[in-house]
Amino acid sequence: EVGARLDGERTVAAAFAYGREGSLWRRSQRWARGLTGEVAVAPAVGVDRAATEARLRQIAPAIVRAPTDARVAMDAAGGPALVPDEPGIAFDLAGTEAALLARLVAVDAAPVVVATLPRAAAVPAPALAETVAAARAAVDTPLVLTTAEGTWQIADVDLKRIVAVDPASAELRVAREPVVGLTRQMAAAIDHPAIDAGLTVGEDGHLAVVPGAAGAAVEVERTAAAIEAALLAGDDEVDLIVARPEPAVTDRVAAAEAERGERLIGGGMALVWDGGRDALSRDELLRALTIGDEPGAAEPFVFGLDRGVVEALLTARADGFDRPATDARFRIGATGGIEAATDAEPGRRLDIEAGAEAVLTAFGKPEPAAKLPVAPVPARWTAADAGKIALGGAVLAEASIPYANSSEPRRQNVERAVQLQHAWLVPPDGVFSYVENIGPIDAEHGFVTGLGIVADEGGVTTAPVVGGGICQVSTTIFQAAFWAGLAIEERYQHPYYLRSYGEAPRGLPGLDAMVNVEDDWALDLKFRNTTDNWLTVLVLADGQNVTAKIVGTDPGWEVRAAAPAVTNLVPKETTMRYSDSSELPAGQELLVESAEDGFDVAIEREVLENGKVIDNYAVSSSFAPSQNLTLRGTGA
């Protein structure tokens, strides 16, 4: 394996040369030795040096061991500890080769002891002994980092990962990159920009300063250097290095701006317009005040007014000033022509949008005053339009209710109401109002005491009342408008069912309309002309029936109404009840109310044009049971 060979010629030459070299004395000794015994002559053996080295290098890895330097184990159980060095082993190639050759020459198969050399560690344990104490001091307790925003800690387990002993220099070292990373994490929780001082409205209703605050910015590199120095020195606490930038708007500047804002709103603002004047008070201006920012400006706050709030403040004033236009009202006169019963009156309104703009423009001036423009509101119809009205002659619908059995006072009230409601015109999209047409219900306007529904302690009852009976006229008009397909804007039911109002063909249970006129309120009957042409309401009384007709241009509608849906029937009581009345002469009796069942009723109406539903209307009533009631006169 190592290329060993026997050199025969050299070996024979060595044998023949025995006793032939050296001095005579030395040769004589060898002659004597050779004559008396054997003489060993070592054979001449040669090796292939390249093969020998190659073979020895194959076994070297099993023998060679590098030395281990001493080190400080930072993660030892009891804290940083010294780990001793270990010497290494070097392979002595020349010595081992010589020993092997000696065995070969001696033809000796005994083991050859490999020649080795010791290798000392570059860092022996004594070189690190003094550094162990410093390493322990650096990581024995968490490192506390403090600042005004709070306290943070770097745990000892984290410190052991960033603190180490440099074996080359035997000095304590801190890994800078993880320290910077930890510092950046703390900076993310601490850093914040400076907060400018602001303004708000205090509890006393005046502008007040919202204090500003300095910012915070951790100086990462400087703080990391301070942490590193503390660890190397064995310190357990470090103050974070934090820059504190001041706000651009200080409390002092904000206080000066609050005073400026108070001056802007303190005197209020005058409002003038044709026909009136007023003022926006300080509190109203404060309610509308807006405060904007203008960073870097000499006056960092921009004071203004909120347009929406200003418009709301002006609208409140307009409610007491605005007046809607009143259209002329038209009626068919005695000769059959269309006449203006009342002339139009133009309205007026404050122009809120333009007024708000005037207020915004005036704000901030030394003596702020805003002129509010007044816009005229023209009437849609004036008396001059009477000759332009084209009224069709088609009867859209009619209804009729008998009144022949009424008392003379009730008859008089019914016929007076018919006179007042007859022949009024309703423009396209205009509204018919029963209360508007009839006016006050009193003796001065032709009404007398008749029977009507009035409130009493137990609810309602039938009793003498001025104008009693006018609901028959409103009910008749309501039924005609219902069957004409017009939109019902306002309608009220009677407290209990009146049979004469619900008779076919146009009357149905639930198609009644109660009205009541007082000085400060009214229950009205209103319907809207939803056709595209003028309509008139013709109301006639012939001593037997009250008839109402809706006359105009036929819109071609189909009006369908389902049969009344009656539910929740409450049986009537048939006992006759009596009540004293000073409105009747003593000894006279008058049946004023007949018993009827109570019930709920609903009627659905559809209006169709060319087969398509254009309107749905549901009329519903809830009638209480009525009683048999007779009045007994006690009057003169």
Side-chain angles (χ1 to χ4, degrees), residues 457-548:
E457 295 180 357
V460 294
T461 188
T462 302
V465 62
V466 176
I470 64 172
C471 291
Q472 177 167 344
V473 181
S474 61
T475 296
T476 309
I477 295 173
F478 167 63
Q479 292 176 359
F482 178 88
W483 291 109
L486 301 175
I488 308 303
E489 300 271 315
E490 186 176 345
R491 171 261 172 187
Y492 302 91
Q493 69 161 78
H494 288 82
Y496 45 80
Y497 176 54
L498 300 174
R499 183 172 294 276
S500 62
Y501 292 174
E503 298 292 339
R506 290 308 191 191
L508 295 172
L511 288 188
D512 63 316
M514 185 177 73
V515 294
N516 192 12
V517 183
E518 301 290 344
D519 291 339
D520 55 352
W521 66 278
L523 301 180
D524 200 357
L525 166 67
K526 292 181 180 180
F527 65 83
R528 184 175 296 277
N529 177 6
T530 48
T531 73
D532 295 329
N533 300 283
W534 285 79
L535 298 176
T536 186
V537 180
L538 303 181
V539 190
L540 304 172
D542 59 6
Q544 298 295 317
N545 299 293
V546 173
T547 301

Side-chain angles (χ1 to χ4, degrees), residues 220-312:
V220 175
E221 293 297 332
R222 292 183 61 197
T223 298
I227 293 173
E228 181 179 355
L231 292 174
L232 295 177
D235 295 336
D236 296 331
E237 186 170 344
V238 176
D239 290 332
L240 292 174
I241 302 174
V242 182
R244 305 286 180 182
E246 288 295 319
V249 180
T250 64
D251 294 356
R252 181 182 58 79
V253 171
E257 288 290 271
E259 293 179 0
R260 183 168 69 90
E262 284 290 341
R263 290 193 297 272
L264 291 175
I265 64 174
M269 180 184 296
L271 303 176
V272 294
W273 64 87
D274 293 339
R277 63 184 301 111
D278 202 342
L280 292 174
S281 67
R282 176 201 175 278
D283 290 343
E284 287 176 317
L285 289 180
L286 180 63
R287 196 189 328 160
L289 186 67
T290 62
I291 305 174
D293 302 321
E294 192 171 351
E299 295 177 341
F301 294 103
V302 179
F303 295 102
L305 298 177
D306 182 274
R307 180 180 289 273
V309 176
V310 171
E311 289 183 354

Side-chain angles (χ1 to χ4, degrees), residues 502 507-511 561-567 599-604 619:
L508 295 172
L511 288 188
V566 177
T567 57
F599 57 91
D600 294 342
V601 60
I603 303 173
E604 300 281 344
V619 57

